[in-house]
Amino acid sequence: MKTLEERTEKLFSKSEAMVLLCSKTSSYWSLIKFCFNIPLVLTSSAMCIINSISEDANDVKIPNIVVNAISVLIMSLNNSIKASEKCDLFRRLSQQFLLLSGQIENDNEITENDFNIIAIKYENLINDVLFEEIPHRYKIQVADAFKDRYVPLQLNGTIGNNKSSPRSSFKGDIVISNNNIV
């Protein structure tokens, strides 16, 4: 069994990896959120311009319908992707992993009981992480940055330690004959 100091170092390393991973993912979802908001601003502005140009409402009926349809489509996509919620989730998780890392780093002496409480906090935070919503390139970047340190179990497949041993390949020839027995 590993010593308390080794387990604490392992947990600290994993927490730091998660700070970086969640921070990168939060930035990614923030960009996606921004990319959805720009077209909405543009369609709203276009609607204002179209409506203020013409005095007759019938002249702008079709352009209004088109611009409204585009706005509704963008909002529907935005609501189904939920970029804003994901951005907030990963930002919150990044901050909480940072606090956890700080707690581990700043404690002069961590007892077994303290370690168990911190480990439970870590596990609870890990359970909140939507790993399927994290782009693979960020997983690889974090795995590379923490190559010589411990990473969360969920990143193990990214660092290449899940490669199976090479199987022995059969080198013999397989002959299939068509013998008709009468």
Side-chain angles (χ1 to χ4, degrees):
M1 186 171 174
K2 293 187 178 190
T3 66
L4 179 61
E5 187 176 323
E6 290 171 328
R7 290 184 293 152
T8 303
E9 180 59 35
K10 184 176 182 179
L11 189 61
F12 179 66
S13 178
K14 289 179 176 184
S15 292
E16 282 190 320
M18 289 306 299
V19 169
L20 183 59
L21 184 63
C22 289
S23 177
K24 285 178 173 286
T25 305
S26 176
S27 296
Y28 169 79
W29 285 109
S30 178
L31 177 66
I32 298 295
K33 181 175 83 169
F34 177 76
C35 290
F36 273 108
N37 286 336
I38 291 296
L40 285 175
V41 169
L42 293 176
T43 56
S44 297
S45 300
M47 190 81 101
C48 288
I49 293 169
I50 289 171
N51 287 329
S52 64
I53 289 177
S54 178
E55 293 177 10
D56 186 13
N58 290 329
D59 292 343
V60 293
K61 187 174 185 178
I62 292 177
N64 270 338
I65 292 170
V66 170
V67 172
N68 273 333
I70 291 171
S71 292
V72 168
L73 176 66
I74 293 168
M75 285 189 288
S76 296
L77 288 171
N78 194 16
N79 287 338
S80 68
I81 292 174
K82 299 182 187 213
S84 193
E85 293 170 17
K86 292 173 187 171
C87 175
D88 293 340
L89 171 71
F90 284 106
R91 181 176 293 122
R92 181 182 55 81
L93 287 170
S94 176
Q95 291 168 349
Q96 289 178 335
F97 277 115
L98 185 61
L99 288 172
L100 190 65
S101 297
Q103 183 180 0
I104 295 168
E105 187 176 40
N106 294 330
D107 276 355
N108 293 335
E109 190 174 318
I110 294 179
T111 64
E112 187 72 35
N113 190 40
D114 292 339
F115 176 80
N116 289 336
I117 291 170
I118 292 170
I120 289 171
K121 285 181 187 177
Y122 173 82
E123 289 302 322
N124 288 336
L125 289 174
I126 280 290
N127 287 332
D128 290 343
V129 177
L130 302 173
F131 282 94
E132 65 276 6
E133 300 296 342
I134 300 173
H136 188 67
R137 69 177 178 265
Y138 296 134
K139 293 176 185 177
I140 290 174
Q141 288 173 2
V142 170
D144 285 344
F146 284 76
K147 197 174 285 187
D148 298 326
R149 296 178 63 193
Y150 293 102
V151 294
L153 185 61
Q154 292 82 350
L155 293 182
N156 277 342
T158 333
I159 61 174
N161 68 353
N162 63 338
K163 295 177 183 170
S164 60
S165 60
R167 296 180 184 177
S168 61
S169 58
F170 181 71
K171 301 286 184 188
D173 294 331
I174 297 176
V175 179
I176 299 175
S177 65
N178 191 4
N179 293 337
N180 292 336
I181 302 176
V182 182

